[in-house]
Amino acid sequence: MRIQTKITLHYLALSTGILVLLNAFILYFESRFNYKDFFARLEARVNITADVNLFPNEKTIAYQEARNRYLEKLEGEKEQVIKADASGHFVNVDLPAEFFDVITANGNAEYKGDKKFFAGKIVTKDGNKYMVVVSAQNPYGLQEIQDLQEILLYGFLGSLIIIFFVGKAFSYYTFAPIRKLTDKVNTITSSNLHMRLDDDGKDELAELSHTFNNMLNRLETAFETQNNFVSNASHELRTPLTIINSEVELALNQQGLDANQRDILGTIQSETNKLTQILNGLLTLAQSGYDGQKQNWQNIRIDELIWEAIGSVKKIQPQSNIEVDFADLPGNENLLNVSGNNNLLNLAITNIISNACKYSEFRLVTVKLRVDGNRVIISISDQGIGIPSTELQHIFVPFFRASNTHEFKGHGVGLPLALNIIRLHKGTIGIRSEVNIGTEIQVFLPSAGI
């Protein structure tokens, strides 16, 4: 998941939590205010009921008339005046038990039932106790709370939608400088390592740009060093080896050499040739990682390239037994096109096929070609000695050779070189092998015909 999306979701989750708490806060205090207001109205009626029924006089009569004229009649309003028995105890007739227990214990009480509210107090007159209770329903207050709940719910859902898009826009504009930085970094390749990022400012992005620039400085130095080596090593290293080889050949052509001298000179010539091959492999390996990117690329028909590679292998190893399987070729021939450098790709495929022939002791090697989605897949399978499973992870390390290859000539450069070339073409290599059964190498390249 992209960080920008994570920030949007975190922003939405945080805002959702805040809105839930705010709505709960509003609903809680609105309910408390609503109930408190209604209980206050009930208590006023309790006082009026007590005065009118227990202490009648001209003033209470005026209260009663004012109540009847101006005081609203509550829904389901009911007045009760209950007299205690001779021992001062009250008998509960139809009041809620919890309300009755509290009012008898404390002398006054408020209680909310399912849909009905109760308020009351105990009044003493002439040594007798009276429980004055007024009960009523509060449909308007409950409807008000319900309406508030709906408003808060719809407001909450609407706010979530707004917050999501605001969070998305916020994260988009927050990451705009990072996207700009990423785009600039993606334009920097080995051919323009001199380019640098803007690191003006004192914020974190300026620090990141400065860090990238320092890394680019080190990379540029390393690439220049490698380029200088590749450019100069061919002349500086090959010339002495050529001279040594020539002198050895001249010495071997001289008359009068005994068998021992010829063996010594032959060993020198053999080792010089081996050193030349290793040097050529190293230089090609270095070029594939750097100079290869400077070559002109073109669209290559991969099936034609395979035939060229097989021809190159048979020139070097005439006894090779290679079978080509093109049964799964797609109907659209354009899918077989690959963008790349023909010489480099030819070298990579040739090395893989040549290894398959050599390590299978020239038994049958099968080359298959197919297209899967946007990938061209070349499969080279042999019936050779295989690779121990514990050593598979090391076969692309330069100069590494499997423990069962001592009887075969090689320097451990071919597969690393092939991997460098395939990676240069934005592809990958997969391998599976079993000792004494064989090895299959698959080359995956992006199709240029999509």
Side-chain angles (χ1 to χ4, degrees):
M1 183 183 295
R2 296 171 63 88
I3 296 179
Q4 182 177 327
T5 304
K6 287 183 180 180
I7 289 180
T8 302
L9 295 179
H10 288 164
Y11 181 79
L12 178 64
L14 181 62
S15 300
T16 300
I18 294 174
L19 282 177
V20 169
L21 291 176
L22 179 62
N23 288 349
F25 178 85
I26 293 173
L27 190 60
Y28 172 74
F29 283 99
E30 167 60 21
S31 300
R32 284 196 61 183
F33 174 79
N34 190 292
Y35 295 158
K36 185 177 181 181
D37 177 69
F38 193 73
F39 279 125
R41 297 165 68 185
L42 287 181
E43 288 175 0
R45 284 165 173 74
V46 168
N47 293 331
I48 294 174
T49 300
D51 289 343
V52 169
N53 290 279
L54 299 178
F55 306 99
N57 53 41
E58 293 181 359
K59 186 177 181 179
T60 57
I61 294 173
Y63 281 163
Q64 180 70 19
E65 291 178 356
R67 173 184 178 181
N68 294 334
R69 181 177 298 181
Y70 300 110
L71 202 59
E72 132 184 59
K73 187 74 172 177
L74 299 178
E75 184 80 18
E77 183 176 341
K78 180 180 179 182
E79 300 173 353
Q80 293 176 274
V81 180
I82 304 170
K83 184 178 181 181
D85 57 20
S87 61
H89 293 90
F90 294 96
V91 177
N92 186 7
V93 180
D94 58 354
L95 298 175
E98 184 178 347
F99 172 74
F100 182 82
D101 293 339
V102 173
I103 196 172
T104 54
N106 299 334
N108 57 72
E110 295 175 350
Y111 177 78
K112 176 185 175 300
D114 185 21
K115 293 184 179 180
K116 206 166 188 179
F117 293 77
F118 295 84
K121 67 177 182 178
I122 295 177
V123 179
T124 302
K125 178 185 178 184
D126 300 332
N128 295 317
K129 291 182 178 181
Y130 296 88
M131 181 182 295
V132 182
V133 177
V134 177
S135 60
Q137 296 178 359
N138 186 21
Y140 303 108
L142 295 177
Q143 185 63 42
E144 182 179 324
I145 294 176
Q146 185 176 351
D147 292 341
L148 178 61
Q149 287 177 336
E150 292 182 2
I151 293 173
L152 291 177
L153 177 61
Y154 291 128
F156 174 74
L157 297 177
S159 298
L160 287 185
I161 297 174
I162 295 173
I163 289 170
F164 174 77
F165 287 105
V166 170
K168 195 171 184 179
F170 171 77
S171 61
Y172 177 83
Y173 287 108
T174 299
F175 277 84
I178 296 179
R179 286 194 300 274
K180 182 178 179 182
L181 181 65
T182 302
D183 293 340
K184 186 67 178 292
V185 171
N186 286 333
T187 62
I188 301 176
T189 63
S190 60
S191 60
N192 60 352
L193 278 175
H194 61 278
M195 294 182 62
R196 295 294 180 267
L197 305 175
D198 297 331
D199 56 1
D200 298 333
K202 298 181 179 180
D203 58 5
E204 289 80 359
L205 287 178
E207 293 180 5
L208 180 60
S209 299
H210 184 68
T211 302
F212 270 119
N213 287 337
N214 289 337
M215 181 187 68
L216 290 172
N217 290 334
R218 296 191 295 270
L219 286 175
E220 185 176 18
T221 301
F223 270 75
E224 287 180 354
T225 302
Q226 179 179 343
N227 189 34
N228 291 333
F229 170 78
V230 173
S231 300
N232 299 326
S234 176
H235 175 74
E236 298 296 335
L237 297 178
R238 284 175 179 168
T239 300
L241 291 174
T242 302
I243 294 173
I244 294 172
N245 199 38
S246 300
E247 294 296 330
V248 170
E249 286 183 2
L250 287 175
L252 286 172
N253 290 330
Q254 291 181 359
Q255 301 296 325
L257 296 177
D258 58 32
N260 186 43
Q261 291 173 330
R262 289 189 177 276
D263 287 342
I264 293 173
L265 291 174
T267 301
I268 294 174
Q269 187 180 44
S270 174
E271 294 302 317
T272 302
N273 290 333
K274 184 185 295 184
L275 185 57
T276 301
Q277 292 176 2
I278 294 174
L279 176 61
N280 290 337
L282 284 175
L283 292 176
T284 308
L285 185 62
Q287 280 186 322
S288 70
Y290 185 74
D291 285 346
Q293 297 190 25
K294 295 182 178 180
Q295 306 296 328
N296 292 327
W297 282 22
Q298 58 187 348
N299 277 346
I300 303 167
R301 275 288 296 263
I302 205 68
D303 53 342
E304 296 176 359
L305 181 73
I306 290 174
W307 286 117
E308 292 177 10
I310 292 174
S312 300
V313 171
K314 287 190 173 181
K315 286 181 181 179
I316 302 172
Q317 302 168 339
Q319 66 273 46
S320 299
N321 182 12
I322 304 172
E323 179 183 74
V324 179
D325 182 357
F326 284 175
D328 295 330
L329 291 186
N332 183 3
E333 294 182 353
N334 291 330
L335 295 176
L336 296 174
N337 288 332
V338 173
S339 178
N341 179 274
N342 188 78
N343 293 332
L344 289 177
L345 279 177
N346 189 314
L347 178 60
I349 302 302
T350 299
N351 279 344
I352 296 174
I353 296 176
S354 176
N355 277 354
C357 293
K358 178 172 65 175
Y359 292 114
S360 65
E361 298 178 304
F362 304 105
R363 287 191 288 270
L364 180 65
V365 172
T366 304
V367 180
K368 294 183 180 180
L369 176 64
R370 62 188 177 91
V371 175
D372 183 11
N374 61 347
R375 299 186 304 175
V376 176
I377 304 174
I378 307 168
S379 175
I380 299 102
S381 56
D382 61 52
Q383 302 171 18
I385 61 174
I387 304 169
S389 58
T390 57
E391 300 177 8
L392 271 175
Q393 57 184 326
H394 304 298
I395 62 168
F396 293 111
V397 177
F399 300 111
F400 176 83
R401 304 195 70 210
S403 58
N404 57 348
T405 61
H406 298 302
E407 297 180 2
F408 300 87
K409 292 182 179 180
H411 309 295
V413 177
L415 281 181
L417 175 58
L419 179 62
N420 268 15
I421 294 173
I422 298 303
R423 282 179 174 173
L424 185 65
H425 290 77
K426 299 181 180 179
T428 58
I429 292 181
I431 184 169
R432 57 185 176 187
S433 183
E434 190 173 346
V435 174
N436 297 325
I437 299 296
T439 301
E440 180 182 6
I441 292 181
Q442 288 187 332
V443 177
F444 302 86
L445 291 168
S447 173
I450 300 301

